[in-house]
Amino acid sequence: MTIDPLLPWLTAINSLIALGSFIYAWLTARAKGNTEKLAAIEKIMIEHDRRIQEIEGELRHLPDKDSVVDLKISMAKVEGAMSALTERLSGMGATVTRIDDYLRTRGED
């Protein structure tokens, strides 16, 4: 038996196999590029997720707006008390200065 009658079929099968190999290589090459891009995007997403978690952790420790308002009110009260104390101390300082002057001048006599 000769191979001559099968030769056109073998050539067609060989061409189909070559075409299939080309298409497979072309598709997998594109998939490899996409895989690399997805890996890079995944790294970026992991970094962003870590940063967001860090920020959320810090925000839990910060006071809310009501606490800030309460702090402002408390600071205003402390400021008022300090100003009243400063007035009293300045009056007391003047008295102490007068007593000191009196004692110094009396000691000279």
Side-chain angles (χ1 to χ4, degrees), residues 41-51:
I41 290 172
E42 185 177 7
K43 286 181 183 178
I44 292 170
M45 292 297 293
I46 289 171
E47 177 65 22
H48 282 226
D49 185 47
R50 186 191 62 77
R51 289 174 58 197

Side-chain angles (χ1 to χ4, degrees), residues 29-93:
R30 292 187 65 180
K32 186 184 291 184
N34 287 340
T35 303
E36 292 171 359
K37 288 179 184 176
L38 286 174
I41 290 172
E42 185 177 7
K43 286 181 183 178
I44 292 170
M45 292 297 293
I46 289 171
E47 177 65 22
H48 282 226
D49 185 47
R50 186 191 62 77
R51 289 174 58 197
I52 288 170
Q53 287 177 357
E54 185 177 320
I55 291 170
E56 286 175 347
E58 289 298 321
L59 285 177
R60 284 189 204 112
H61 302 292
L62 295 177
D64 59 351
K65 67 174 187 158
D66 295 331
S67 299
V68 172
V69 168
D70 291 342
L71 285 172
K72 284 183 179 180
I73 292 171
S74 297
M75 290 299 292
K77 288 179 182 178
V78 167
E79 187 177 82
M82 288 297 291
S83 120
L85 185 61
T86 302
E87 284 182 32
R88 282 189 176 184
L89 287 177
S90 66
M92 191 181 299

Side-chain angles (χ1 to χ4, degrees), residues 5-18:
L6 296 176
L7 204 53
W9 287 100
L10 291 174
T11 305
I13 290 172
N14 189 22
S15 297
L16 287 176
I17 291 173

Side-chain angles (χ1 to χ4, degrees), residues 91-104:
M92 191 181 299
T95 303
V96 169
T97 303
R98 281 195 309 262
I99 291 172
D100 184 52
D101 289 342
Y102 174 75
L103 290 174
R104 287 178 191 255

